[in-house]
Amino acid sequence: MTRPGDGLRRIAARFCDRRTMERLVEPIVADLKAEYDTAAAQGDWRARCLVWRGYGAFWKALGLHCIMSTFQPSGSDSNDSMGRVVAFSLGALTLMTALLILPPMLDASYFKWAGGPLEKLRLILLLVPQALPLSIPMGICIGVVCAMRARRTSPRHVAAVLAIAAVAIFAVWTMLEWGMPAANQAFREMVAARLGDGRIVHLEPGLNELGLSRLSQRTDARAIQHARVLWALCFATGPLALFSLGIAGVVRRFSAAIAVSVTAILLYWAFMASIDEALREGTLRGAGAWVGNILFLLAGVLMLRYRQKIFRLKPEATN
């Protein structure tokens, strides 16, 4: 016979570790059962109300525990570290995407000619693929610093972060190859149709509407330079992720993690902007578009090696 609280225990056992089960879940379930048994034995009609109130208290306590455990650093090397990285990265990615599409949304000139709410919604959705190649590396950078702050980094953590970065790189490549060109072209043609007589207009694709493969086939200097910058941006998540993992160990506070990661992002985009300008002027050639990625990759590797060296020396210093 299933008693009140048994279902909650089964659900929690799938997602919570042993410590959380012993210190949080089991006491709440035990209190719920005790209160229900007491009320049911007395024939109290409030027994069912006590069950629902106990369910509410359970989810409230579990939610607060998840929030507190997420924002409090821990020195353990448990498997939940990568779950924290994914959770923080997805949250930061969503926020960064919203911030990047916000300026066009606030610009009345983009939406004043829209036919109605559905057309405005379509315009907003077309802005998302244009923002994702930038927001994905930014989200991973913020997520790694916030999730791994004040934690000892193991080779397993490095491998897991690189695996997450590889997935992100594939997502950015997909956006640059298909998502962003198609969205840009559709956005341009919608604007041209509305500004004209309302008929469908087919525009010649520009550099931003070609995709990486078609852009790489071009032989003109501007297209070659643009392709190199986009390929460097495609792989930006890897260096940024390693850099973030290397610097996360010296950060403890959540506010400091946000400040450090945002500073790293601004520094990287400053590098990329200067590199793009140098490529346009001809002062930088060839693989110069990859300078920013190489610098951040080297910085991340050096910081990780330095941290591992410090951890190895600590036991010797205490003897």
Side-chain angles (χ1 to χ4, degrees):
M1 179 180 178
T2 302
R3 300 179 61 196
D6 291 341
L8 295 179
R9 183 191 287 109
R10 287 195 298 268
I11 294 174
R14 293 178 177 271
F15 302 99
C16 299
D17 55 18
R18 181 176 57 84
R19 183 180 180 184
T20 303
M21 292 294 295
E22 292 177 353
R23 296 191 176 189
L24 181 68
V25 176
E26 294 294 350
I28 294 177
V29 173
D31 290 343
L32 171 62
K33 289 182 176 181
E35 293 179 1
Y36 174 80
D37 290 342
T38 301
Q42 297 175 358
D44 197 335
W45 60 271
R46 293 178 299 176
R48 186 58 57 182
C49 295
L50 287 173
V51 172
W52 290 109
R53 190 174 68 178
Y55 285 174
F58 171 83
W59 290 113
K60 178 181 178 181
L62 192 61
L64 289 175
H65 171 74
C66 292
I67 294 174
M68 294 303 296
S69 62
T70 298
F71 288 92
Q72 288 179 354
S74 171
S76 65
D77 290 331
S78 57
N79 293 331
D80 69 327
S81 297
M82 291 306 101
R84 288 163 55 89
V85 171
V86 173
F88 272 109
S89 298
L90 289 176
L93 188 156
T94 303
L95 179 60
M96 292 297 104
T97 302
L99 291 177
L100 288 174
I101 68 175
L102 187 61
M105 291 174 57
L106 296 179
D107 190 351
S109 61
Y110 281 93
F111 294 94
K112 65 181 181 181
W113 45 264
L118 290 179
E119 191 165 357
K120 290 181 180 180
L121 178 61
R122 185 186 177 192
L123 288 173
I124 293 173
L125 294 177
L126 289 175
L127 294 174
V128 174
Q130 304 175 46
L132 285 177
L134 300 179
S135 62
I136 290 176
M138 295 162 67
I140 298 295
C141 179
I142 296 174
V144 171
V145 177
C146 291
M148 297 300 297
R149 67 189 190 281
R151 294 189 172 212
R152 182 173 180 176
T153 303
S154 67
R156 186 176 181 180
H157 286 143
V158 176
V161 167
L162 289 178
I164 295 173
V167 175
I169 289 172
F170 178 76
V172 174
W173 175 80
T174 302
M175 287 296 104
L176 292 177
E177 178 66 22
W178 294 296
M180 189 179 75
N184 283 357
Q185 186 68 9
F187 191 93
R188 294 171 66 227
E189 291 179 353
M190 284 184 65
V191 173
R194 279 293 178 178
L195 295 179
D197 55 7
R199 291 182 298 178
I200 297 177
V201 179
H202 297 286
L203 300 177
E204 185 69 21
L207 294 181
N208 289 325
E209 292 76 49
L210 292 178
L212 286 174
S213 58
R214 293 173 61 191
L215 191 62
S216 300
Q217 296 172 1
R218 296 276 293 266
T219 57
D220 52 299
R222 183 71 183 95
I224 294 174
Q225 174 263 325
H226 192 62
R228 288 171 177 169
V229 172
L230 289 184
W231 276 112
L233 174 62
C234 182
F235 288 89
T237 308
L240 279 174
L242 276 183
F243 181 85
S244 302
L245 189 60
I247 206 171
V250 299
V251 181
R252 291 199 62 85
R253 293 181 176 273
F254 180 74
S255 57
I258 294 293
V260 168
S261 55
V262 171
T263 302
I265 291 170
L266 294 177
L267 184 62
Y268 178 82
W269 295 132
F271 266 115
M272 293 303 296
S274 60
I275 289 171
D276 186 38
E277 186 66 24
L279 288 171
R280 291 183 181 182
E281 295 176 354
T283 56
L284 195 64
R285 298 179 181 275
W290 295 84
V291 171
N293 288 355
I294 294 173
L295 290 177
F296 273 77
L297 180 63
L298 291 176
V301 171
L302 290 176
M303 285 189 292
L304 287 173
R305 290 180 62 86
Y306 175 76
R307 286 178 56 191
Q308 291 178 353
K309 182 179 180 181
I310 292 298
F311 279 120
R312 285 196 298 265
L313 292 177
K314 277 185 177 181
E316 300 177 3
T318 57
N319 292 333

